[in-house]
Amino acid sequence: MKSTVETLSPTRVRLSVEVPYEELSQHLTQAYQQIGAQVRVPGFRPGKAPRAVIDQRVGKDTIHAQTIDNALPRKIADAYAENEIRPLGRPSVDFESTELKENEEFNFTVEVDVAPDFDLPELNELTVTVDSTDVTDEQVDQEIENLRLRFGTLKTADRPAQNGDFVTMNLAATIDGEEVEGGTATDMSHEVGSGDLVEGLDEQLVGMKADETRKFQTKLVGGERSGEDADIEVTVSVVKERELPELDDDFAQLASEHDTLEELREATREQLATRAESGQLQQARERTAEALIEAVEMPVPEGVIDDEVQQRRAQLDEQLAAMGANLETYLSAQGQSADEFEAELKENATTGLRRQLILDKIADSKEVKVSSEQLTSEIIRRAQQQGVPQDRWQEFANTLQERGMIPSIAAEIRQALALEEVVREAKVVDSSGTELTNEQLFPALEGQDEEADEESEATETEAPKAE
């Protein structure tokens, strides 16, 4: 087989391919076997009719078309490899002729989107900023106040409702006197001011007493009647106020294992600092990726972006249909127009593709490899995330393999490893201006490593195998 490549644009190429007739012989034999098994010829068992008889029954055009279908994926892949082409998206194939002539070459062309050529920035010149792990007194106060709210109690209040109170109420929504499906609730508990229900409800509840009824109009959000004006009738039956425990040592003992409020505050400060530290690496990854995308100029193949947008749109349509909704009601609930939605989809798809291409090039330049242990660990993580029991992990891995998903999972791991390499080279500072070291971002937790090794040895025979 011979092939040549022609550059049509920075993101698209055309391959001209010549396949000798003899290289199609096995595919021709396969085509006769496939079609022969489907053709019923009197006097012959299925699949045993001679080629000449099959030609008479279905015509050589059908045989040739099946042969091409069988050969094409392999020959296109060979042409990619021969010309070191990394395709993006689906190829467009054009044939000079679909007729196969003995001892004559079969010719076709392939147009496909490819990754553009671009330069990577100097990674050690990238600077990204992450949140500081410094914990303020206000953050500690807020955390303890949240804890205090969890230990609060409700008591009936003989007064009008205020923000922060809880009311028990009956709610009914109608449009032109007709009850809105799903718009009626009885003895519902609701926190005034939370904004969890229909627009305008909280403003009406403030000042209402037990056994009082009010009516108002609002625009529905979500559901089949989303965007329509509805009449709302709300009746309050009970108003309750929240009583919070005093912030003292007794509260510390009630809400924690600490004896004093000061000890609880100090422990809370440490927890917030630990939480902030664990979030710094994730922030560093994401903000480094953003910095890379901003630093690299490249054209993107519009065909690939369009395919990705259509795929994301189709996935959303399926999810909405499963919930009994559609795109129109979804956009209304989001306060978004169809044009804004399409623009957002395209922007997200473009950003995702740019990130993928950049990280793939970095992985190539740094010769990043994905080990079988890393791949197996990711498969186990996904199985656990989906609630797959341990005795079915191998079955889960086999399913991924059958669906052809293992290569894409390995590619995601490789990109994550490449991004980690960039984070190690980049300058990472926190919001207070302090530069963070790799030791701070990637702490050497030897104890955890040893524990992980022990667990790996203990489960080695049970872990799913992926290649």
Side-chain angles (χ1 to χ4, degrees), residues 10-46:
T11 62
R12 195 165 180 84
V13 298
R14 178 189 292 125
L15 292 162
S16 299
V17 185
E18 300 176 357
V19 184
Y21 182 82
E22 55 268 21
E23 289 187 19
L24 297 174
S25 59
Q26 68 182 58
H27 302 291
L28 184 63
T29 298
Q30 183 185 12
Y32 274 110
Q33 291 171 344
Q34 291 170 326
I35 294 175
Q38 302 170 14
V39 174
R40 296 294 177 263
V41 180
F44 296 94
R45 287 179 296 167

Side-chain angles (χ1 to χ4, degrees), residues 252-417:
Q253 294 168 21
L254 172 68
S256 71
E257 72 276 12
H258 303 289
D259 295 326
T260 68
L261 182 61
E262 187 56 37
E263 290 176 356
L264 174 59
R265 289 183 61 82
E266 188 57 36
T268 301
R269 187 181 298 275
E270 292 175 1
Q271 290 171 0
L272 290 172
T274 300
R275 192 185 306 168
E277 288 170 2
S278 64
Q280 274 187 331
L281 177 56
Q282 184 59 31
Q283 275 193 345
R285 287 191 179 110
E286 290 308 309
R287 293 179 184 179
T288 298
E290 292 170 3
L292 278 171
I293 293 171
E294 186 176 345
V296 172
E297 292 186 7
M298 72 164 77
V300 291
E302 290 298 325
V304 177
I305 298 300
D306 291 342
D307 287 346
E308 179 66 18
V309 167
Q310 291 178 11
Q311 182 178 346
R312 294 187 184 195
R313 169 74 178 272
Q315 290 174 345
L316 179 60
D317 286 340
E318 288 181 9
Q319 294 169 356
L320 292 173
M323 296 186 293
N326 56 40
L327 184 61
E328 183 179 353
T329 57
Y330 170 80
L331 294 179
S332 178
Q334 297 293 316
Q336 199 174 35
S337 69
D339 289 342
E340 289 171 337
F341 172 71
E342 291 293 334
E344 181 180 319
L345 276 184
K346 185 168 184 178
E347 181 181 357
N348 291 339
T350 301
T351 299
L353 179 59
R354 284 166 57 82
R355 173 172 174 153
Q356 172 192 326
L357 295 175
I358 294 168
L359 291 178
D360 281 343
K361 186 164 185 175
I362 291 172
D364 289 343
S365 67
K366 293 186 174 297
E367 299 182 349
V368 175
K369 307 291 184 184
V370 177
S371 68
S372 59
E373 290 80 8
Q374 289 169 324
L375 182 56
T376 297
S377 177
E378 175 61 16
I379 291 173
I380 291 175
R381 186 191 70 80
R382 295 188 181 207
Q384 291 173 328
Q385 192 176 49
Q386 297 182 31
V388 178
Q390 185 172 340
D391 60 357
R392 297 183 61 189
W393 284 354
Q394 185 62 57
E395 180 183 342
F396 179 79
N398 292 343
T399 300
L400 294 178
Q401 183 76 45
E402 291 167 3
R403 294 177 179 176
M405 297 176 65
I406 298 298
S408 65
I409 293 174
E412 289 179 19
I413 298 172
R414 187 169 183 261
Q415 290 165 17
L417 294 173

